[in-house]
Amino acid sequence: MNCNNWFRQIHRWLCIAFTLAVIINIIAMVQEKSSVWVGLMTLLPLTSLLFTGLYLFALPYATKWRDAGRSGG
Ligand code: HEM
């Protein structure tokens, strides 16, 4: 598996972690047990999702630029 696939897999599994954290957050809010660390639990995977997501976004463009450079125009 190459590096790009790793980023895709990490992004995919972080998305599950983020979804679970959101559900836990909602439950905590409904039960009025919300606290700073429950909130941070969602921010941590979301921040990682942002960086891996931006990497995945840039990937096709980076490939295009690289290929354009290789063919000399
Ligand atoms: C926070 C900012 C995020 C950015 C910038 C971002 C960006 C991206 C990009 C560019 C892709 C690749 C699309 C393609 O195939 O070309 C992607 C795929 C995906 N994203 Fe995100 N994303 C973000 C957050 C999330 C969140 C919050 C979730 C779910 C809770 C999520 C779930 C997914 C899934 C499941 C895929 C498909 C992965 C695969 O192909 O295996 N993303 N995202």
Side-chain angles (χ1 to χ4, degrees):
M1 203 190 283
N2 67 26
C3 183
N4 300 342
N5 274 338
W6 271 107
F7 269 93
R8 196 170 280 276
Q9 288 302 319
I10 291 168
H11 192 79
R12 184 180 268 187
W13 285 103
L14 277 173
C15 137
I16 300 295
F18 175 70
T19 306
L20 290 176
V22 168
I23 292 168
I24 291 169
N25 241 281
I26 292 168
I27 294 169
M29 278 168 74
V30 168
Q31 295 184 345
E32 291 177 358
K33 285 178 184 168
S34 195
S35 63
V36 174
W37 75 264
V38 178
L40 283 176
M41 207 164 72
T42 56
L43 272 185
L44 208 77
L46 185 60
T47 313
S48 313
L49 271 167
L50 178 68
F51 289 113
T52 51
L54 288 176
Y55 178 89
L56 289 177
F57 178 82
L59 213 60
Y61 302 104
T63 312
K64 239 182 253 172
W65 292 330
R66 201 186 50 204
D67 290 349
R70 214 175 260 169
S71 64

